[in-house]
Amino acid sequence: MARLATAAEKAAKYRRLLTPNARLAASKAKGRHLKAALPLEAGSTVVVETAAAYVLLKHSMDELCLHCLCELPYSSGTEIVNASTQDSGSVLATHQNQRKRGIVCPGCIKQTYYCSEECRKADSKRHTLECPILRDLPGITAAASVDYSLFRLVLAVLVRRRLEAESAGDSVKGGVYDNESVAPPTGTEFVFDLISHRRTSDPLWLACVEACASDFARHLPQSLAIPEADIVGLACKINANSHAITDPTGNTNQPVACGLFPAVAMLNHSCAPNCSFVAGTHAQMVVRTLRPVSEGEELCVAYVDLCLPRDERRGKLLESKRFWCMCERCESADSSEASDARLDGVLCPTCSDGSSLCDASRDFQCPTCATRITADMRGTICNQAEACYNDAYDLFKARHTDSALIAFQNFIDKFKSKLHPQHYLFINANSLMASAAMKQHDFVGAAKHGQSVLDAMGRIVPPNWPELADFWYRQAEVLEIVARAVQECNISAERVKAVVAAWAYDEADVQSVASAAMAAAGDAYAQCAEMRAVAYGESHAKTAETRMQLARVRQWKPQQTTFN
């Protein structure tokens, strides 16, 4: 019988997964967690880890290569696309249609794509083991009402475990791996060492997982088989500890895959984190500091949307991660100065004083005008606001863009004297209005709503927050379109005032107006670049792309034109 590893031996193995900037700590209250091993500057790397196993989410399976997570190649055609990144030509121009195509595995019915023959060959040994089970996996998970990605990741772990056993490689290095430019995957022994939280899992969800595990086990060959109870336990570990992998090359922070990173999983949550995740190709995850961190300070990341009010964040964490958040931000949220007080704050109905926020749990007396607001009154206002917002959101989801824009504007007009200007519903509304305005080619409107989101988010999220950097990038793109549209006399100078007010320009001179708009775009790219340099690092594709766009915009020269 194999000897069980001692606590000291396990700790030594985990330390091998960390950089010298981080050290492993443990306590009864926090469990295993990471602390800064020395004083760290903003942008310091604390963890670099390649997933022990990962899967693409369903919406990305025919968009990205399963092996390297890069975009699939394109075929040709014709379509109308945004030409904001072109140095000349109309704001809207004709370009090649971009239809994704790749090398698809015929065995698992369009569940696996590769960007090249090299990637297909590199993943061949691993995929050969999973392919026969993948054919039946959609039916297995659908019959039990279980998430497909959950059990595909269970299968990926079992396959990786088998490959490690065959190679008899170092457990930290994860056995067979042929990419020397990326750290080898973390060994699956660390996955099985994760906490499952099975006893606190939702009973209905657990029953579905147990039913799925029974059917799933019957499809496993002997080389991958483990007991049904262990399959359920592994699914619980994945549910509690997996991390989303965001698009490693694009300019959004949207998840495209899901993976298991045992070292990253040791980072606890905070609603005011000092670190963030950076996704790379080949399912690599890097954790970097967002601000200076003192020696011995705990290193934390965020598990939920930081722009949600405290009660919603706590509810989501309790539901998904099975803990009640007691971080500094949540514990100080009762203060009217705290960002959370503004995120769901209700203004005094008499004086609309922005510093007078009604507490959600008790009656409140406005310190400015002494108006008394009961908890029931506050609840009524919040419920009405949410209903009005949801009506607009339903129109947006149904792609009734014109009606959605009108409905969102009506919501803002109706509740701007009742809700705090930084209320999370206003942030959401402006974000969606920016997207809707872009669809309508109302670029000035998109820039105006985008700036509202940036102003509000900047007061809530930590410095150099990746999602905020993404908003700055999109704002730069929109402002660049505005500049080109002004140059073509498609947008009046009067409209441009709303988005480039900080710049001095002559309203009668197209060159002056276009230059001001392009300068504002350059400022937005510069802001994004500085944030991404900290959050992602200078060598990351997103940072390099932003630097390139900034240099291009700085060199732009408008044509000589005047308004008629």
Side-chain angles (χ1 to χ4, degrees), residues 514-527:
S515 294
M518 193 63 78
D523 286 351
Y525 278 128
Q527 180 69 43

Side-chain angles (χ1 to χ4, degrees), residues 248-264:
T249 57
N251 284 300
T252 67
N253 229 28
Q254 297 303 310
V256 296
C258 181
L260 288 163
F261 302 87
V264 172

Side-chain angles (χ1 to χ4, degrees), residues 98-433:
Q98 299 185 333
R99 264 186 89 181
K100 297 284 180 67
R101 67 176 182 181
I103 301 172
V104 59
C105 172
C108 48
I109 316 172
K110 296 184 178 181
Q111 295 180 74
T112 303
Y113 291 78
Y114 299 102
C115 66
S116 64
E117 184 63 20
E118 289 76 15
C119 279
R120 188 197 66 78
K121 288 181 179 178
D123 195 43
S124 176
K125 187 173 183 180
R126 189 202 64 81
H127 184 62
T128 299
L129 292 173
E130 72 174 3
C131 189
I133 300 97
L134 283 181
R135 282 196 289 267
D136 299 315
L137 189 60
I140 295 171
T141 54
S145 299
V146 169
D147 181 46
Y148 164 88
S149 298
L150 173 62
F151 267 78
R152 182 158 184 179
L153 192 47
V154 168
L155 177 60
V157 171
L158 297 179
V159 168
R160 176 62 66 184
R161 183 169 177 247
R162 175 63 184 174
L163 292 175
E164 290 171 359
E166 289 179 356
S167 68
D170 184 279
S171 62
V172 173
K173 292 185 177 181
V176 176
Y177 198 65
D178 61 357
N179 192 329
E180 296 181 357
S181 63
V182 179
T186 298
T188 55
E189 70 170 283
F190 293 97
V191 173
F192 286 92
D193 195 37
L194 293 170
I195 297 173
S196 70
H197 297 287
R198 179 172 179 170
R199 286 185 291 182
T200 58
S201 296
D202 178 81
L204 293 177
W205 176 85
L206 191 57
C208 291
V209 169
E210 289 171 346
C212 189
S214 177
D215 193 7
F216 180 77
R218 288 193 290 270
H219 287 77
L220 291 177
Q222 187 61 38
S223 60
L224 300 178
I226 61 173
E228 284 183 28
D230 290 348
I231 294 174
V232 175
L234 179 56
C236 291
K237 292 175 190 290
I238 292 171
N239 188 58
N241 296 282
S242 60
H243 284 272
I245 301 173
T246 56
D247 183 358
T249 57
N251 284 300
T252 67
N253 229 28
Q254 297 303 310
V256 296
C258 181
L260 288 163
F261 302 87
V264 172
M266 290 188 289
L267 287 147
N268 281 333
H269 164 83
S270 171
C271 296
N274 53 22
C275 296
S276 67
F277 306 114
V278 180
T281 58
H282 296 88
Q284 188 175 75
M285 188 76 77
V286 178
V287 179
R288 293 169 61 90
T289 56
L290 296 169
R291 58 167 176 79
V293 178
S294 304
E295 181 178 355
E297 183 179 348
E298 185 178 3
L299 300 168
C300 296
V301 293
Y303 296 172
V304 294
D305 183 354
L306 299 181
C307 289
L308 291 174
R310 176 186 61 176
D311 290 348
E312 290 206 30
R313 294 197 310 273
R314 279 178 160 173
K316 288 182 178 293
L317 289 167
L318 186 62
E319 179 183 359
S320 63
K321 300 298 182 182
R322 321 309 296 178
F323 72 87
W324 185 254
C325 186
M326 301 286 286
C327 73
E328 183 179 357
R329 179 181 170 191
C330 284
E331 289 296 282
S332 64
D334 289 332
S335 168
S336 63
E337 298 300 316
S339 61
D340 283 307
R342 300 189 291 269
L343 278 171
D344 60 354
V346 174
L347 304 180
C348 171
T350 301
C351 66
S352 297
D353 186 350
S355 63
S356 303
L357 305 176
C358 305
D359 189 288
S361 61
R362 58 180 182 270
D363 293 352
F364 180 86
Q365 185 171 5
C366 176
T368 304
C369 68
T371 298
R372 185 171 183 78
I373 306 106
T374 66
D376 288 342
M377 291 170 60
R378 183 192 188 281
T380 299
I381 294 172
C382 291
N383 290 337
Q384 290 174 346
E386 289 176 4
C388 189
Y389 170 85
N390 288 334
D391 287 343
Y393 183 59
D394 288 342
L395 292 170
F396 181 84
K397 286 195 300 182
R399 299 184 180 180
H400 300 312
T401 307
D402 288 337
S403 299
L405 279 168
I406 294 171
F408 277 127
Q409 190 59 57
N410 288 341
F411 158 72
I412 291 174
D413 292 341
K414 183 176 181 180
F415 289 97
K416 64 184 178 183
S417 63
K418 299 179 181 180
L419 304 180
H420 193 278
Q422 294 168 32
H423 197 283
Y424 83 103
L425 290 179
F426 287 153
I427 298 176
N428 292 348
N430 276 299
S431 177
L432 295 173
M433 290 176 79

